[in-house]
Amino acid sequence: MQITWYGHSTFSVEVDGESLLIDPFFDNPKTDTDPEELDPDHVLITHGHADHIGDVDRFRGAHFVSTPEIISYLTDEYGIENGTGMNLGGTFETEEAYVTMVRADHSNGLDTDYGASGGMPAGYVVSDTKPTQVADEASQTFYHAGDTSLHTEIREVIAPYLEPDVAAVPIGDHFTMGPWQAAVAVDWSGADYAIPMHYDSFPVIEQDTDDFVREVDAAGAQADVVVLDGDESFDLGDELGY
């Protein structure tokens, strides 16, 4: 599993040659990638705010996954023709991966507008093995927390049952968790690696990632913090030794 951060909350997850793109928004200062260069098989949308769906129209040939409300909106407003609506707690199976939609605590106005809601916002857990109550030591699992505040489902459900190896958490504060709450979320997740996201895109969410590193240490989390540059990749398989 190879994880690439394109700034803000935009990630690509490669699983055995299959590409899953999460929250495409390339109008941020961390990336130099032209989205036209990417050809994802699937696009996962956590919620309908403009800084998470800003470039969906670049990927009309991909298969989209989100809540039914978001899929309907993207179909009507962006011409998306291939989408699957699902909801919290559900798992969608692709050719090579399993995508489980999990809770995120946030607002969800479509295009950041007050006129309509996209339903519950979400995070995703992407794994190369089917989630079960039987632990699989050989699995590789990535948790994208979405835009969220700190909530106990991270500790009570995601950590013990979905067992993420990597947790990507927002640290920007103001609209989401800041560094200290994000550090607690990392500790609760039980992940081995933590990647900060959703920061520095706008002045109000500028952060020093060193603060996040210190907070993760103060929380007693077992995770190593991996601060990626925009367009930089992290190879989970290499880190886990398989």
Side-chain angles (χ1 to χ4, degrees):
M1 181 179 287
Q2 186 175 71
I3 299 161
T4 304
W5 184 54
Y6 295 108
H8 205 57
S9 297
T10 306
F11 282 85
S12 175
V13 183
E14 300 281 342
V15 183
D16 291 334
E18 186 176 53
S19 174
L20 300 93
L21 183 65
I22 305 174
D23 284 359
F25 174 66
F26 291 86
D27 187 17
N28 74 75
K30 297 290 187 181
T31 184
D32 293 318
T33 296
D34 180 351
E36 301 290 347
E37 300 172 1
L38 304 180
D39 186 25
D41 297 292
H42 304 274
V43 178
L44 314 181
I45 303 296
T46 64
H47 65 293
H49 286 167
D51 55 325
H52 295 262
I53 65 171
D55 286 300
V56 295
D57 59 335
R58 309 288 191 100
F59 305 105
R60 289 193 178 95
H63 170 254
F64 280 72
V65 175
S66 190
T67 62
E69 294 88 346
I70 295 295
I71 293 298
S72 295
Y73 179 73
L74 297 181
T75 298
D76 291 345
E77 298 297 326
Y78 290 88
I80 301 305
E81 297 181 353
N82 187 11
T84 296
M86 61 183 299
N87 224 308
L88 303 183
T91 298
F92 178 80
E93 183 177 356
T94 72
E95 290 291 329
E96 303 293 343
Y98 296 85
V99 178
T100 301
M101 182 180 283
V102 295
R103 172 181 166 184
D105 282 0
H106 193 60
S107 61
N108 196 11
L110 297 174
D111 277 328
T112 325
D113 199 354
Y114 62 86
S117 171
M120 284 290 294
Y124 290 101
V125 177
V126 179
S127 178
D128 63 353
T129 60
K130 185 177 182 178
T132 70
Q133 293 190 62
V134 179
D136 186 344
E137 295 298 330
S139 70
Q140 298 179 39
T141 304
F142 172 64
Y143 169 39
H144 185 295
D147 277 14
T148 191
S149 63
L150 185 63
H151 59 84
T152 56
E153 188 162 313
I154 298 168
R155 181 184 63 206
E156 304 297 334
V157 177
I158 294 168
Y161 297 112
L162 297 172
E163 302 179 301
D165 298 300
V166 181
V169 293
I171 69 164
D173 213 340
H174 194 83
F175 296 113
T176 66
M177 298 185 288
W180 77 262
Q181 290 187 62
V184 175
V186 169
D187 182 38
W188 285 358
S189 76
D192 297 311
Y193 303 96
I195 301 174
M197 66 175 180
H198 204 280
Y199 69 95
D200 284 2
S201 307
F202 324 111
V204 73
I205 60 171
E206 289 179 357
Q207 291 290 337
D208 183 344
T209 55
D210 288 343
D211 292 339
F212 176 58
V213 174
R214 285 191 291 270
E215 292 291 348
V216 169
D217 182 64
Q222 66 182 22
D224 294 328
V225 177
V226 179
V227 179
L228 296 176
D229 292 327
D231 306 325
E232 185 179 3
S233 297
F234 176 77
D235 195 312
L236 179 57
D238 284 351
E239 294 296 332
L240 295 178
Y242 44 79

